[in-house]
Amino acid sequence: MNSRSELALAERLMQERLRRRAMEQGVTLIDPDTVWFHHDTEIAADVVVHPSVVFGAGVRVATGAEIFSFSHLEGAEIAEGARVGPFARVRPGSEIGPKARVGNFVEIKATRLGAGAKANHLTYLGDTTVGEGANIGAGTITCNYDGYGKHRCEIGEGAFIGSNSALVAPVRIGADSIVGAGSTITKDVPQDSLALSRAEQINRPEAARRFREMRRNDKETS
């Protein structure tokens, strides 16, 4: 290869070979031309790969898994029956357990998602262990980096993490516990506990009407 164009041609030929081999081994590629493999991708029979998926180095996908469009996987293991994407990013050191779910706009790094666990949308899980059957609500993030080092979160089996929560590592969420939506968790949560960390809501009757009248009067006098 003597130029970038020749390099691109070699890549195209290699991708055609990898796609053909995958389909011959029983993998369903819905739109083969848009799926990109690494030379070491291991993908079992009866896996379904949707259009526009990229496999980086070190990915293994077990039978029955389904990878949806616009997902990027690297250095990860996807177990039997798991579902990833669309628009998911699975980074190195991650393990997606059997029938676990990584949904749209979810990023996972160095994290193990237990069997049947779900992180369905708008979530970041870094340096985290998620127990079987746990549910991670939309907008949840693990605050795993303090500017100097990485710290781990442990989420127990069957735990429910409410939407828009921040888990400040290192922290442990006990099995079958609940974290209320909008909470910032900085201390361990015992098993079967409910954790809440948010300001008390205050309702002021008629205050919205008075505010609108004040703004209207200001506009008329300006």
Side-chain angles (χ1 to χ4, degrees):
M1 290 174 284
N2 301 304
S3 66
R4 297 299 176 93
S5 60
E6 290 182 0
L7 177 61
L9 175 60
E11 180 66 38
R12 180 172 64 81
L13 295 173
M14 185 63 183
Q15 287 300 324
E16 290 175 356
R17 183 183 304 171
L18 294 171
R19 293 162 186 157
R20 185 169 56 252
R21 183 178 68 182
M23 290 186 285
E24 288 172 351
Q25 293 175 348
V27 178
T28 297
L29 304 181
I30 293 177
D31 186 2
D33 289 344
T34 67
V35 176
W36 290 78
F37 290 108
H38 196 268
H39 72 87
D40 65 354
T41 303
E42 297 181 25
I43 186 164
D46 297 321
V47 170
V48 177
V49 182
H50 290 250
S52 301
V53 172
V54 176
F55 294 92
V59 176
R60 287 191 282 182
V61 185
T63 186
E66 190 165 6
I67 314 299
F68 291 87
S69 296
F70 303 105
S71 295
H72 187 284
L73 298 84
E74 182 180 4
E77 295 191 17
I78 313 300
E80 183 175 353
R83 302 174 71 198
V84 175
F87 295 98
R89 186 181 181 198
V90 183
R91 293 170 57 191
S94 294
E95 299 177 26
I96 311 304
K99 297 184 178 180
R101 179 76 173 95
V102 178
N104 48 289
F105 303 104
V106 173
E107 180 180 354
I108 289 186
K109 190 272 295 184
T111 288
R112 187 186 187 283
L113 211 61
K118 295 181 292 185
N120 275 326
H121 27 234
L122 303 165
T123 290
Y124 170 68
L125 298 174
D127 301 290
T128 301
T129 301
V130 181
E132 293 185 9
N135 185 87
I136 312 298
T140 295
I141 63 169
T142 55
C143 309
N144 58 317
Y145 182 54
D146 62 7
Y148 296 93
K150 300 290 181 71
H151 305 279
R152 294 197 63 82
C153 285
E154 295 185 16
I155 300 171
E157 296 181 4
F160 183 93
I161 311 300
S163 296
N164 205 34
S165 295
L167 309 180
V168 183
V171 71
R172 294 184 179 185
I173 310 299
D176 298 313
S177 60
I178 297 173
V179 172
S183 295
T184 298
I185 302 300
T186 59
K187 299 178 181 178
D188 290 353
V189 179
Q191 181 174 342
D192 283 317
S193 297
L194 169 63
L196 293 169
S197 175
R198 58 167 98 118
E200 182 180 358
Q201 180 174 320
I202 300 174
N203 295 331
R204 301 186 183 278
E206 302 296 321
R209 178 182 56 79
R210 293 195 300 269
F211 173 78
R212 288 192 295 269
E213 291 175 351
M214 180 182 68
R215 296 297 294 166
R216 190 181 305 117
N217 292 335
D218 290 344
K219 188 175 183 181
E220 290 174 353
T221 58
S222 61

